[in-house]
Amino acid sequence: MTGRTRSRLDRMRASLGIAQLALQQIEDDLSADDVDARELAAILRELQEDVDVPGGLLPSLAQLLTTAARRAEQIEPDRDASCPLHEAAALLTDNAGQRLNWAARSLDPQGDPE
C-alpha cells in the first residue's frame, strides 16, 4: 500500500469516526423519553430529505455508493463489483427512503417537510 493510499484510508477512517459520533448523537436523541410522534416523524423526514442541506442522510449514502460503483466500473469494467454497489444505492433511496416516508406519515399524517 502506497503512502497516498494509506493517507486516503486514514482520512476515510477519521471521517467515518466523525460520522459515527454524529449518528450516535441522533440515536441518543431518538431514545429520549420526551420524543413524541410529531418529532419522531420530523426526524425521520430529515434522514430522508434534509431541508437545510440538499439531500439527506440516505441520499448522501446512496451517492457515496454510486461514486464507488462508478470507480469500480473504471477500474475493472468486466467485473461484477459495480452492480452490487449500484443495487445498494438503489435500496437506500428506493426501499429504505420510502419506508422512512411511510413511517413518518404514519406517525404524523398531517406533517410536511418544512
Side-chain angles (χ1 to χ4, degrees):
M1 188 173 349
T2 67
R4 185 176 356 166
T5 301
R6 183 170 319 215
S7 177
R8 183 176 296 124
L9 287 174
D10 289 342
R11 283 192 314 273
M12 186 227 32
R13 287 181 184 127
S15 296
L16 285 173
I18 292 167
Q20 288 170 331
L21 288 173
L23 291 171
Q24 182 61 54
Q25 180 61 53
I26 293 168
E27 186 176 343
D28 291 347
D29 288 339
L30 286 169
S31 301
D33 291 336
D34 62 342
V35 173
D36 63 9
R38 282 185 92 167
E39 186 175 16
L40 180 56
I43 292 168
L44 295 175
R45 286 183 182 104
E46 286 292 318
L47 293 174
Q48 174 59 14
E49 300 173 358
D50 187 341
V51 295
D52 294 328
V53 178
L57 176 64
L58 293 182
S60 294
L61 290 173
Q63 179 60 41
L64 187 142
L65 292 172
T66 299
T67 300
R70 289 182 183 142
R71 185 64 188 135
E73 289 167 353
Q74 292 172 347
I75 293 170
E76 296 181 346
D78 297 331
R79 299 284 183 134
D80 295 329
S82 66
C83 186
L85 292 168
H86 282 298
E87 289 173 357
L91 285 171
L92 282 173
T93 55
D94 298 343
N95 294 352
Q98 187 60 43
R99 281 167 176 72
L100 280 179
N101 289 335
W102 290 338
R105 268 189 250 133
S106 175
L107 289 163
D108 183 21
Q110 304 304 319
D112 285 358
E114 299 176 321

